Amino acid sequence: MACSLADFPSLPEGTQIPMCLIEGKVQYSTPDFTNVHIYTTSVSSHPHVLISNDVLHPAMSKEDSNRVFLPVSQTLWKKLQQSWYEKGFVSMLEIASNPKENQGFFVLEFVAKRTLSALKVASKFYSLIPGYKKKESGEVLAPMLSQNPVYSTSNIRCLAWHPHCIKLAVAASDDSIRIYSENSQLIPLLKCRGQHLISSMAWRPLCASELAVGCELGVVIWHIDPNSVITRPSAANTQVLSRPNHTYVTSLAWSPHGDLLVSGSASDNTMYVWAVGLDKAVPLKRVGGGGISFVSWSPDSLKLFAATTNLVFRVWETCQWEPDRWTLATGRVVSAVWSPCSSLVLFAVSLEPVIYCLSCGVASSVFQSEDRRGATPLIDLTPVELDSGERVGGEVSSLAWDKKGCYLAVTFKNCDIIAVFMTSFVQNLKVSPCCFIRGLVSESPAVIAFQENFAEGANLTIGWSSGRVQYFPIVFTELHSNEKSYEADMLAYDLPDVSTTFTPSASFVGFS
C-alpha cells in the first residue's frame, strides 16, 4: 500500500520537541533543555549555530537608501533618465504619464499614456501564447521558487554541508554566509557586492576550499583557505561566473567528481555547464518549460535532473548531453532527490500532496524500456490532524534523502512539522513511517539537509526560521544498518511496489 501520514506515530502532547532517534526510538526534551548530547555523542564535535537578529545586518534596498538623503529638485529629463537606468523603460513611461511628475509636458504625457496602453494590450496577447511567461524580478522569483517556505521571513535562507568533512555553510537573510567547522571558533564571514538574494549553495567535491553560491549576480565561487585565520575574506577570494540574462540563479549542482558545475536560472531557459577553472561554459538550451528552477546531479554522475518553472522537467544523460523530456498535468517540480545508485529519482510537484517515484534504469542506460516509462505515486501526503490538533501534510516544499538511502525527510509549504520516512531497498523501494519533528514555539522549518559523511547513521540538519540550526541524529547499530540492505540499491530496481489506493488531484502525464 502507498505510505501516508496517517500511519505515523503522533507527537506527544505539550511542547516537547524531538531531539534524536536512537535505535528506532525518538527521544524528546523540553524546550528549555534542548541538549542532544545527553542522548548521543555522535554530534558532540559539531559546531553550535545560531543566526540571531543581533548578528544580522539587513541589506538596504535602493528605496531605503534614497530616504537617507535629503530630497532634491530634479528636472523632468533628469527624472526620466534616472528611472530608465534604475527601473527600466516602463517605469520611465509611468513618470512621463503622471501629471504630477511631467511638469506640464502634455504632448509627452499623451504619448506615454498611449504607449503604456499599447504595452498592456501586447502583454495580454503574449500571455495567450503557450509557454510564454512574463519575466519577474528576483525579489519575486527567489521566494516563489525557493525550497525554503519561509524565505522572506526566516533568518536562514539555505545551508550546505561539505561532502568530506564537518564543515557547514549557512546563508543568512542579510545575504552573508558563515562557515562553521568542527572544533573551531573561527567563523569566516563571506559577503561581497552582488551577492544578493542567495538561493543555493554547494561545496565542490574533492576540494576543501571552494563554495559555489547562486544569487542575483549569477554564480559566485568563494575560495576559502582552510588554514587562514582571516575571518572576513575579501572579494579577491571570489570568482564570478555570469552570462547575459543568466541572473538570479535559483539552483546549482557540482558533478560528483567536482569537475563540472551546472547552474540554472528561473529567468533563463538556458542551463549552463561550467568548467570553473577555465571560466568556460557550455549552454544547454531546450524550447519549452520556461526557466530552470532546480537541478540535481545523480551520484553516479551519468544523469542530471532539471526542473523548469512550468509543466516540463528533463533528465539529461551527461555523456552525449541528450535529454528525455517529461510533462506534468499541472504544477511544477519543486524538489527532487536521487537514490544512492542513481536508478530512482523521487520528486514532488506543486499543487499536489504526493511524492512520485521515477525509474531511470541501470547505469548502462538512462531509462528503462518504453513500456516502463512513467512515474508512480509513492507517498500520500494528504493533510492529517494529529491528536494535539496540529495538521501535517499538504504541498511539499523540499525533500532530503540521506546518502545511504535509509531516511527521507519532507518539509511542507504550509506546515511547521517535518515528516521523516524510513526507506529500504529489497527487490524494490519500500517506504514506511518513522517520526515527526517540530521545533520551538513560533519556529518554522526553513531548510533541511543530511550530513553526507556521518558514519553513525544519518544526521538530519534543520535550519529553523529563528536562525537556530538543529542536528537530529539518527543512530542505529550495525545490525539495524544491515537490515536496511541498502547495498541492494546497487542493483537494478523494479518500480516501487505501491498500490493506487489514493488518487492525486492531478495525475502525472509521463514521458512526452
Side-chain angles (χ1 to χ4, degrees), residues 11-18 28 386 388 390 416-418 436-440 443 464 468 470:
L11 286 166
E13 296 182 1
T15 58
Q16 284 190 319
I17 60 175
Y28 296 90
L386 304 180
S388 58
E390 299 171 287
D416 294 337
I417 296 177
I418 302 170
F436 289 133
I437 303 175
R438 65 183 172 197
L440 304 175
E443 278 188 339
W464 297 96
R468 181 176 67 96
Q470 177 187 356

Coordinates of all heavy atoms in Angstrom, one line a residue, residues 11-18 28 386 388 390 416-418 436-440 443 464 468 470:
L11 N 2.8 13.0 17.7 CA 3.7 13.7 18.6 C 3.1 13.8 20.0 O 1.9 13.7 20.2 CB 3.9 15.1 18.1 CG 4.8 15.3 16.9 CD1 4.6 16.7 16.3 CD2 6.2 15.1 17.2
P12 N 4.0 13.8 21.0 CA 3.4 13.9 22.4 C 2.7 15.2 22.6 O 3.0 16.2 22.0 CB 4.7 13.8 23.3 CG 5.8 14.2 22.4 CD 5.4 13.8 21.0
E13 N 1.8 15.2 23.6 CA 1.1 16.4 23.9 C 2.0 17.4 24.6 O 3.0 17.0 25.2 CB -0.1 16.1 24.8 CG -1.2 15.3 24.1 CD -2.3 15.0 25.1 OE1 -2.3 15.6 26.2 OE2 -3.3 14.3 24.6
G14 N 1.7 18.7 24.5 CA 2.5 19.7 25.1 C 3.5 20.3 24.1 O 3.3 20.2 22.9
T15 N 4.6 20.8 24.6 CA 5.6 21.5 23.8 C 6.9 20.7 23.7 O 7.9 21.3 23.2 CB 5.9 22.9 24.4 OG1 6.4 22.8 25.7 CG2 4.7 23.8 24.3
Q16 N 6.9 19.5 24.1 CA 8.1 18.7 24.0 C 8.5 18.5 22.5 O 7.7 18.3 21.6 CB 7.9 17.3 24.6 CG 7.9 17.2 26.1 CD 8.0 15.8 26.6 OE1 7.3 14.9 26.1 NE2 8.8 15.6 27.6
I17 N 9.8 18.6 22.2 CA 10.3 18.6 20.9 C 11.2 17.4 20.7 O 12.0 17.0 21.6 CB 11.1 19.9 20.5 CG1 12.3 20.1 21.4 CG2 10.2 21.1 20.5 CD1 13.1 21.3 21.0
P18 N 11.2 16.7 19.5 CA 12.1 15.6 19.2 C 13.5 16.0 19.2 O 13.9 17.0 18.6 CB 11.6 15.0 17.9 CG 10.2 15.6 17.7 CD 10.3 17.0 18.4
Y28 N 12.6 12.7 23.3 CA 12.0 14.1 23.4 C 12.7 14.9 24.6 O 13.2 14.3 25.5 CB 10.5 14.0 23.6 CG 9.8 13.4 22.4 CD1 9.6 12.0 22.4 CD2 9.3 14.1 21.4 CE1 8.9 11.4 21.3 CE2 8.7 13.6 20.3 CZ 8.5 12.2 20.3 OH 7.8 11.6 19.2
L386 N -3.4 15.6 13.9 CA -2.8 14.9 15.0 C -3.7 15.0 16.2 O -4.6 15.8 16.3 CB -1.4 15.4 15.3 CG -0.4 15.4 14.1 CD1 0.9 15.9 14.6 CD2 -0.2 14.0 13.5
S388 N -2.9 16.2 18.9 CA -2.7 17.5 19.5 C -3.5 18.7 18.8 O -3.4 19.8 19.3 CB -1.2 17.9 19.5 OG -0.7 17.9 18.2
E390 N -2.8 19.7 15.7 CA -1.9 20.2 14.6 C -2.2 19.4 13.3 O -2.5 18.2 13.4 CB -0.5 20.1 15.0 CG -0.1 20.9 16.2 CD 1.3 20.6 16.6 OE1 1.6 19.5 17.2 OE2 2.2 21.4 16.4
D416 N 4.4 23.5 9.9 CA 5.6 23.7 10.7 C 6.2 22.4 11.2 O 7.1 22.4 12.0 CB 5.4 24.6 11.8 CG 5.0 26.0 11.4 OD1 5.4 26.4 10.3 OD2 4.4 26.7 12.2
I417 N 5.8 21.2 10.7 CA 6.2 19.9 11.1 C 6.9 19.2 10.0 O 6.5 19.2 8.8 CB 5.1 19.1 11.7 CG1 4.5 19.7 12.9 CG2 5.5 17.7 12.0 CD1 3.3 19.0 13.5
I418 N 8.0 18.6 10.3 CA 8.8 17.8 9.3 C 8.4 16.3 9.4 O 8.3 15.8 10.6 CB 10.3 18.0 9.5 CG1 10.7 19.4 9.5 CG2 11.1 17.2 8.5 CD1 12.1 19.7 9.9
F436 N 7.7 12.4 13.3 CA 7.5 13.8 13.0 C 8.5 14.6 13.9 O 8.9 14.2 15.0 CB 6.1 14.2 13.4 CG 5.0 13.7 12.5 CD1 3.9 13.1 13.0 CD2 5.2 13.8 11.1 CE1 2.9 12.7 12.2 CE2 4.2 13.3 10.3 CZ 3.0 12.8 10.8
I437 N 8.9 15.7 13.3 CA 9.8 16.6 14.0 C 9.2 18.0 14.0 O 8.8 18.5 13.0 CB 11.2 16.7 13.4 CG1 11.9 15.3 13.3 CG2 12.2 17.6 14.1 CD1 13.2 15.3 12.6
R438 N 9.1 18.6 15.2 CA 8.7 20.0 15.3 C 9.7 20.8 16.1 O 10.5 20.3 16.8 CB 7.3 20.1 16.0 CG 7.3 19.7 17.4 CD 5.9 19.7 18.0 NE 5.8 19.1 19.3 CZ 4.7 18.7 19.9 NH1 3.6 18.9 19.3 NH2 4.7 18.2 21.1
G439 N 9.7 22.1 15.9 CA 10.6 23.0 16.6 C 10.0 23.7 17.8 O 9.0 23.2 18.4
L440 N 10.7 24.7 18.2 CA 10.2 25.5 19.4 C 8.9 26.3 18.9 O 8.6 26.4 17.8 CB 11.3 26.5 19.9 CG 12.6 25.8 20.3 CD1 13.6 26.9 20.6 CD2 12.4 24.8 21.4
E443 N 8.5 28.6 15.7 CA 9.6 28.3 14.7 C 9.0 27.5 13.6 O 8.1 26.6 13.7 CB 10.6 27.4 15.4 CG 11.7 28.2 16.1 CD 12.8 27.3 16.6 OE1 12.6 26.1 16.7 OE2 13.9 27.8 16.9
W464 N 16.0 26.4 11.3 CA 14.7 26.9 11.7 C 14.6 28.4 11.4 O 15.7 29.1 11.2 CB 14.4 26.7 13.2 CG 14.4 25.2 13.5 CD1 15.3 24.4 14.0 CD2 13.2 24.4 13.4 NE1 14.9 23.1 14.2 CE2 13.6 23.1 13.8 CE3 11.9 24.5 12.9 CZ2 12.7 22.0 13.8 CZ3 11.0 23.5 12.9 CH2 11.4 22.2 13.4
R468 N 18.1 29.2 14.4 CA 18.7 28.1 15.1 C 18.9 26.9 14.2 O 18.0 26.5 13.4 CB 17.7 27.7 16.3 CG 18.3 26.5 17.1 CD 17.3 26.2 18.3 NE 16.0 25.8 17.9 CZ 15.7 24.5 17.8 NH1 16.6 23.5 18.2 NH2 14.5 24.1 17.4
Q470 N 19.5 22.9 14.1 CA 19.4 21.8 14.9 C 19.9 20.5 14.2 O 19.6 20.3 13.0 CB 17.9 21.5 15.3 CG 17.7 20.2 16.1 CD 16.2 19.9 16.3 OE1 15.3 20.7 15.9 NE2 15.9 18.8 16.9

